[in-house]
Amino acid sequence: MTTDAGEMSLTVDELAARAGVTVRTVRFYGSKGLLPPPVIGPRRVGRYGATHVARLALIEELQRQGMTLAAIERYLRQLPSDLSAYDLAIHRAVVASWAPDAVETVSRAELERRAGRELADEELARLKASGVLVAGEDEEDGFRVDSGLLRLGLELLDVPLSRGTILAAREVLMEHSRAAARELARLFRGEVAERDTRDVRDLSAHIHPLVVQALLTTFQRSLREELSELLGGGGSGRG
């Protein structure tokens, strides 16, 4: 499923399984221009990469928001055609921030269908550690899943990080996001103190996506700077 260079290389069946859709859906999106064409490899077999996976994830998120296919086409048409999988994931994160919390109960078989492969017990443990799912009293009762985090959790399974590191990272993110939320609420409290309830709700509906997008943008830049410094330092150390 990867090339010698480490790039993702999927057949249409593998792409559909990974995205949790049918092959027919993948081909339909391609015919509508929602997905770029695959790279044609040996034996005339189309190969799909990380950007196709990310685009499908974004399309799925837009559908969860209730957007029609025509609206999704307009949305994607406005995006640069050469966006990387990383940039598409940022777009999806912004879109997902508008969705209300959604918790559902799914079976292990359904989890594996959405993952596009069988999940080992260790992988289920990592999903629990990251807060993506909670097992019932009996596994046959299924798993309670945060739908907004499920795809992120499944993608994290492919990242070579230990369960302890993922759990520690989750605690760091939770601690600092709560602190940021408290400070922002304190700043906005004076602005809404004299308004009636309806005005406050309207203001909240406008502020929420804007604040989330601002947080994502600033965090993205800060993380890029930190990682550049880390990788740059590591590279100089090996020279």
Side-chain angles (χ1 to χ4, degrees):
M1 296 174 67
T2 57
T3 65
D4 292 339
E7 298 175 351
M8 185 180 297
S9 180
L10 307 172
T11 65
V12 66
D13 296 281
E14 291 168 340
L15 174 65
R18 192 180 185 95
V21 299
T22 65
V23 170
R24 183 177 180 180
T25 296
V26 172
R27 298 196 190 283
F28 175 72
Y29 288 158
S31 70
K32 288 288 187 179
L34 302 181
L35 286 177
V39 175
I40 304 301
R43 301 180 183 177
R44 305 293 298 171
V45 175
R47 309 297 297 190
Y48 298 82
T51 55
H52 294 93
V53 175
R55 274 190 171 261
L56 281 173
L58 177 56
I59 292 170
E60 178 187 40
E61 195 61 57
L62 292 170
Q63 288 179 323
R64 285 185 63 219
Q65 297 294 327
M67 291 181 66
T68 64
L69 184 61
I72 293 173
E73 287 186 63
R74 288 194 297 271
Y75 181 94
L76 294 179
R77 200 178 300 125
Q78 295 172 5
L79 301 180
S81 59
D82 59 349
L83 280 183
S84 67
Y86 174 83
D87 293 323
L88 288 166
I90 295 297
H91 274 275
R92 180 181 173 273
V94 173
V95 172
S97 70
W98 305 336
D101 295 335
V103 177
E104 58 180 321
T105 300
V106 300
S107 66
R108 181 166 183 164
E110 174 60 16
L111 273 178
E112 292 178 339
R113 186 190 71 79
R114 298 188 189 185
R117 67 175 190 272
E118 292 185 4
L119 296 174
D121 291 340
E122 169 60 22
E123 291 178 309
L124 289 177
R126 291 182 66 181
L127 289 174
K128 294 174 188 175
S130 60
V132 175
L133 60 84
V134 178
E137 295 183 4
D138 190 320
E139 186 177 303
E140 293 185 359
D141 296 333
F143 299 91
R144 286 176 54 79
V145 175
D146 184 325
S147 302
L149 291 177
L150 180 55
R151 184 173 291 278
L152 172 62
L154 292 174
E155 291 174 356
L156 277 174
L157 294 179
D158 295 326
V159 178
L161 295 175
S162 68
R163 191 195 316 175
T165 298
I166 290 175
L167 187 58
R170 178 175 181 268
E171 290 301 316
V172 169
L173 289 172
M174 291 294 291
E175 176 185 352
H176 289 282
S177 61
R178 284 171 179 160
R182 281 194 297 268
E183 286 302 307
L184 288 171
R186 182 181 63 80
L187 290 172
F188 294 144
R189 190 171 292 120
E191 295 290 330
V192 301
E194 304 300 323
R195 305 188 185 210
D196 61 36
T197 302
R198 186 169 185 176
D199 287 341
V200 172
R201 287 176 180 168
D202 290 342
L203 182 62
S204 175
H206 283 88
I207 286 178
H208 184 194
L210 294 176
V211 169
V212 170
Q213 186 166 5
L215 287 172
L216 278 170
T217 301
T218 54
F219 180 74
Q220 177 187 4
R221 291 173 180 169
S222 299
L223 184 60
R224 183 185 294 122
E225 291 171 2
E226 291 293 329
L227 290 178
S228 295
E229 183 178 337
L230 173 66
L231 296 176
S236 60
R238 287 192 299 270

